[in-house]
Amino acid sequence: MGLKEMLSLVRVPSILLLGLLYVVYVLIGGVIFWELEGELGQKDIGLLLSNKKKLLLKYTCLDQDGLEAVAQVVQDASKVGLSLKGNYTSDGFWKFTSSAVFAATVVTTIGYGNISPTSTAGRIFCIFFALFGIPLNLVVLNRVGKYMLAIERKISDFLEGKTGRRKCTRFFVHLVSYMSGTLLFFVVPMIVFQQHEGWTFSQAIYYCFITLSTIGFGDYVADSNPDKVYPEWYSVLMASWIFFGLAWLALVINHSMDILERLNNHFKQWWTRETPEEESGSVEEENPETLETQVEEEDKIKKTPIT
Amino acid sequence: MLQSLASNSCVRLIQSHKSTWYFASLVLGYVLYLIFGAVVFSSVELPYEDQLRQELRAIKKQFLQENECLSEERLERFLKKALEASNYGVSILNNASANWNWDFTSALFFASTVLSTTGYGHTAPLSDGGKAFCIIYSVIGIPFTLLFLTAVVQRIMVYSTRRPIMYFHQQWGISKPLVAIVHATLLAMLAVSCFFLIPAAIFSALEENWNFLESFYFCFISLSTIGLGDYVPGEAVNQRFRELYKVAITVYLILGLIVMLVVLETFCELQQLKQLRKMFYLKKEKPQDRLAILEHDHLSFTTVSKRAASQGEDKTQSFIGVPTLMSPNDDPMIQ
């Protein structure tokens, strides 16, 4: 019984600590964003207001209300992806290909929001579509990630057979796969977007990251500028990039989560060094055990103090 | 983010069955589902867009006629600037400039939407420094959020799902699958009413222009972390207690996400769902060694979740029968 109490004592602080750390992390983020962006936003508003005043001065027939009314209309229109700029030759957002891209951003939970359903029916459908689509997407992406991992494994095994050095080749293959993943899913798209969208490199890499992490602000969205003509292969390339990139990034995020968890375990182990029973329990976590054996281990641990 | 989260929970159900047929049908189904969605969206939304387009054209023409001194070109240049600013959350409208997008509580709200990967995009970092920080912050923060959520969900699961099911199973002698499915349904209903219906009612009361459906739509889009950002609360002109409101929404979003994950996990542990999976399972043959390699890999998704699960469970809850978590035949190592 004493052991069990001790264990629960060890466990409660760890979750509290984690929670506390999390809150602190969010708070720090809030403060830094506040610091970085607050002034710039102020400047932006100032610029816009002076611009507006200049316009009102120049065209005296235009009154404040009239201008604001038109600005309101345009703002609303831009929210649904329309632009007031002269030419209406482009065939609108809700054509088939763009709708497919929208559906993909919904099920992957990217949700740029540069475009969103405006009709009631569209909204209700969106809810149900996402309800079934998101789990489906999870399963598929996970499968793809697994296959990518399996390919990496095969190459690793093949090379291991050739060279005979286990640890070295494994490390090498991991390194190469991560490097090539970064190259394929960040560097190459960055160059392509920089070429076709007229963004700077920093904007392009920001877009790549925000998309693949499924944050999806929608401040930069590829293939959506109404004033540009995109080649045919562009949207296909973008879709496949998002698809494989998401699978890859899920893999990477899981890996880093694994590292964090191992770190956590390490600290916990270090924390409770003085109790030898504890140690035998936490060492077990190093390799993936089935639950059955875990239970056996637990029994063993419980027996040790008695015998 | 849900991608990586669900890899912890749901996907381990299907992991042991690696038939290529299943995979092919899965991919095919996925593509069909996307196409289906695209067709419906485009057929539902296109008329509205067309209508809006015509309205906009008419208004512009009318406006130019009323104010003849204004050239079309000049108006467009101004509008372009205004639209760019509105994309960053700076509105040109006179009254709206009163509240800041980047005061502390808004920044906090923003940070939490970044970490949960909701990313409404109603505000986004403008400065290069902000963008760079945003990337670094989320590279560290998103795995951290995942870890946090997994840890919390694992602990809640014991109290919300496993213990009640065990209790009813033992006390009333009802078969476990039946208890599980009733429990899962009740839990889902409770979660929907507490985290969708009630907040939707509150939002529709607090926000001026939102009706109930729009509020519900907002709740769903937020908690599923899609985050389209067409509705963002607390952005109204004269929002009272704006700071408090923003903080409350932040708390609501994090709690809601946790509850969603608990419900998801509960459904994933259903026996019936495992039966469903068996329908997809077409071929029996599989190279055992490859499977073992996959399962042993430290990158593999299962290992993380299992370790998290075992960590949560076996340390203190070993007395409540851990094997209920999954039946032995779900475990590839045993087969």
Side-chain angles (χ1 to χ4, degrees):
Chain A
M1 272 327 275
L3 179 69
K4 208 173 278 171
E5 273 164 24
M6 210 157 59
L7 281 175
S8 68
L9 269 180
V10 171
R11 196 185 60 133
V12 168
S14 91
I15 179 81
L16 278 184
L17 208 71
L18 199 65
L20 196 74
L21 220 67
Y22 183 69
V23 170
V24 168
Y25 189 77
V26 173
L27 284 176
I28 289 172
V31 168
I32 292 179
F33 278 120
W34 181 34
E35 283 293 316
L36 284 175
E37 297 296 327
E39 277 174 36
L40 213 85
Q42 212 162 339
K43 221 188 287 169
D44 229 39
I45 292 178
L47 199 75
L48 195 69
L49 284 181
S50 77
N51 226 349
K52 187 171 143 187
K53 202 173 275 171
K54 233 187 281 171
L55 199 78
L56 281 171
L57 279 177
K58 190 165 180 190
Y59 301 100
T60 42
C61 66
L62 199 65
D63 61 342
Q64 178 90 14
D65 291 342
L67 186 64
E68 274 182 17
V70 90
Q72 177 73 64
V73 168
V74 170
Q75 205 166 326
D76 288 348
S78 93
K79 261 186 200 156
V80 282
L82 296 179
S83 98
L84 200 73
K85 297 195 64 202
N87 57 335
Y88 278 102
T89 47
S90 61
D91 41 349
F93 180 82
W94 292 101
K95 60 186 192 246
F96 176 72
T97 48
S98 317
S99 301
V101 171
F102 174 75
T105 60
V106 167
V107 293
T108 52
T109 77
I110 293 175
Y112 286 127
N114 63 330
I115 202 79
S116 50
T118 43
S119 63
T120 311
R123 277 176 193 152
I124 292 172
F125 175 73
C126 184
I127 290 178
F128 283 102
F129 183 70
L131 203 61
F132 295 104
I134 292 171
L136 183 67
N137 178 60
L138 294 176
V139 172
V140 171
L141 278 190
N142 211 270
R143 272 304 164 101
V144 172
K146 276 256 138 107
Y147 271 70
M148 283 156 87
L149 204 68
I151 289 170
E152 194 209 12
R153 274 277 141 224
K154 259 185 195 162
I155 293 170
S156 171
D157 283 350
F158 177 73
L159 284 179
E160 246 172 68
K162 285 260 168 181
T163 57
R165 278 197 202 150
R166 189 176 158 80
K167 215 161 194 180
C168 183
T169 34
R170 184 164 285 193
F171 176 74
F172 182 70
V173 167
H174 267 303
L175 192 75
V176 166
S177 68
Y178 276 112
M179 295 280 272
S180 59
T182 318
L183 197 76
L184 201 64
F185 297 118
F186 281 100
V187 178
V188 172
M190 184 177 87
I191 292 165
V192 171
F193 289 133
Q194 193 259 345
Q195 294 285 329
H196 281 89
E197 301 282 343
W199 296 338
T200 63
F201 278 121
S202 63
Q203 281 168 340
I205 193 85
Y206 172 72
Y207 166 74
C208 289
F209 184 81
I210 292 297
T211 300
L212 286 191
S213 61
T214 76
I215 293 174
F217 288 132
D219 48 350
Y220 299 94
V221 181
D223 201 17
S224 72
N225 194 336
D227 305 329
K228 277 207 169 71
V229 182
Y230 295 100
E232 287 292 317
W233 48 267
Y234 194 67
S235 61
V236 179
L237 192 80
M238 193 179 138
S240 51
W241 166 64
I242 287 179
F243 187 69
F244 289 104
L246 278 182
W248 181 75
L249 208 77
L251 219 67
V252 171
I253 285 182
N254 257 289
H255 191 207
S256 40
M257 195 170 141
D258 194 33
I259 290 173
L260 268 177
E261 204 155 335
R262 223 177 275 177
L263 219 69
N264 191 15
N265 279 345
H266 185 74
F267 276 125
K268 213 189 279 175
Q269 216 172 319
W270 188 67
W271 209 291
T272 57
R273 182 62 40 104
E274 59 266 32
T275 58
E277 301 96 330
E278 182 65 50
E279 228 166 350
S280 67
S282 28
V283 164
E284 226 39 65
E285 284 151 18
E286 281 303 312
N287 39 24
E289 293 282 331
T290 60
L291 275 169
E292 253 68 15
T293 45
Q294 290 276 3
V295 173
E296 277 172 26
E297 287 298 329
E298 191 65 32
D299 286 341
K300 239 185 272 171
I301 295 163
K302 260 194 280 180
K303 269 170 207 158
T304 37
I306 303 163
T307 46
Chain B
M1 153 145 114
L2 276 172
Q3 265 86 18
S4 354
L5 268 178
S7 55
N8 290 332
S9 53
C10 261
V11 180
R12 68 163 166 243
L13 286 183
I14 50 156
Q15 229 137 39
S16 45
H17 306 288
K18 295 232 178 285
S19 76
T20 25
W21 278 107
Y22 173 71
F23 180 65
S25 69
L26 207 61
V27 170
L28 190 71
Y30 182 70
V31 170
L32 284 179
Y33 192 75
L34 274 185
I35 289 172
F36 164 71
V39 167
V40 175
F41 275 123
S42 85
S43 62
V44 169
E45 293 294 329
L46 202 57
Y48 279 83
E49 187 189 1
D50 197 42
Q51 195 186 329
L52 197 71
R53 203 171 269 267
Q54 277 165 5
E55 251 169 53
L56 193 65
R57 204 178 316 176
I59 282 183
K60 186 181 166 194
K61 200 181 251 176
Q62 195 194 347
F63 184 78
L64 282 173
Q65 273 171 0
E66 278 171 13
N67 305 284
E68 273 172 4
C69 63
L70 200 63
S71 74
E72 187 171 345
E73 184 195 354
R74 177 79 188 151
L75 179 71
E76 270 170 20
R77 215 184 312 156
F78 170 70
L79 285 177
K80 192 180 174 194
K81 182 78 193 155
L83 284 180
E84 242 167 54
S86 108
N87 282 344
Y88 292 131
V90 177
S91 173
I92 189 159
L93 301 177
N94 217 16
N95 41 16
S97 54
N99 47 27
W100 297 101
N101 285 315
W102 290 103
D103 58 357
F104 176 69
T105 43
S106 301
L108 186 70
F109 180 60
F110 173 76
S112 76
T113 60
V114 167
L115 288 188
S116 66
T117 76
T118 311
Y120 290 120
H122 64 298
T123 49
L126 307 179
S127 58
D128 279 349
K131 278 171 190 157
F133 174 72
C134 185
I135 292 180
I136 295 163
Y137 184 69
S138 41
V139 161
I140 302 167
I142 292 173
F144 186 36
T145 314
L146 290 173
L147 180 67
F148 172 69
L149 287 179
T150 320
V152 169
V153 166
Q154 288 295 344
R155 279 163 180 83
I156 291 178
M157 276 300 284
V158 175
Y159 296 100
S160 73
T161 306
R162 284 180 207 130
R163 272 192 183 171
I165 289 177
M166 275 312 279
Y167 177 78
F168 285 118
H169 177 57
Q170 282 170 353
Q171 292 287 311
W172 296 1
I174 312 170
S175 73
K176 208 178 267 176
L178 187 71
V179 178
I181 197 162
V182 169
H183 176 264
T185 322
L186 284 180
L187 197 71
M189 277 159 73
L190 193 73
V192 165
S193 56
C194 282
F195 282 88
F196 287 96
L197 297 177
I198 293 173
I202 293 172
F203 281 129
S204 60
L206 285 179
E207 298 282 334
E208 274 173 34
N209 304 321
W210 296 16
N211 62 29
F212 186 75
L213 175 76
E214 283 165 341
S215 307
F216 186 82
Y217 172 73
F218 163 76
C219 292
F220 182 82
I221 293 294
S222 300
L223 292 190
S224 60
T225 75
I226 294 175
L228 289 175
D230 45 352
Y231 293 93
V232 179
E235 295 294 311
V237 184
N238 301 316
Q239 187 68 52
R240 278 183 301 163
F241 309 117
R242 191 160 177 271
E243 276 81 22
L244 193 70
Y245 192 40
K246 284 265 176 188
V247 172
I249 293 164
T250 310
V251 172
Y252 160 69
L253 289 180
I254 291 175
L255 280 184
L257 199 59
I258 291 172
V259 169
M260 289 298 286
L261 287 171
V262 168
V263 172
L264 191 78
E265 181 103 21
T266 306
F267 270 94
C268 283
E269 285 184 8
L270 278 185
Q271 211 66 39
Q272 280 85 349
L273 222 77
K274 292 172 191 168
Q275 294 291 321
L276 194 74
R277 170 211 63 201
K278 290 219 170 80
M279 279 178 9
F280 284 100
Y281 175 40
L282 297 173
K283 264 200 267 181
K284 185 85 186 167
E285 54 87 26
K286 56 183 167 235
Q288 196 67 38
D289 50 339
R290 196 183 127 216
L291 196 80
I293 286 166
L294 267 178
E295 294 298 332
H296 262 301
D297 195 288
H298 70 286
L299 270 178
S300 156
F301 294 113
T302 21
T303 57
V304 177
S305 66
K306 267 183 196 154
R307 208 171 308 152
S310 53
Q311 216 182 323
E313 235 104 282
D314 62 353
K315 283 218 158 165
T316 49
Q317 310 310 140
S318 58
F319 52 90
I320 59 146
V322 183
T324 51
L325 183 61
M326 50 176 88
S327 54
N329 61 351
D330 279 306
D331 211 321
M333 303 298 289
I334 292 167
Q335 271 178 346

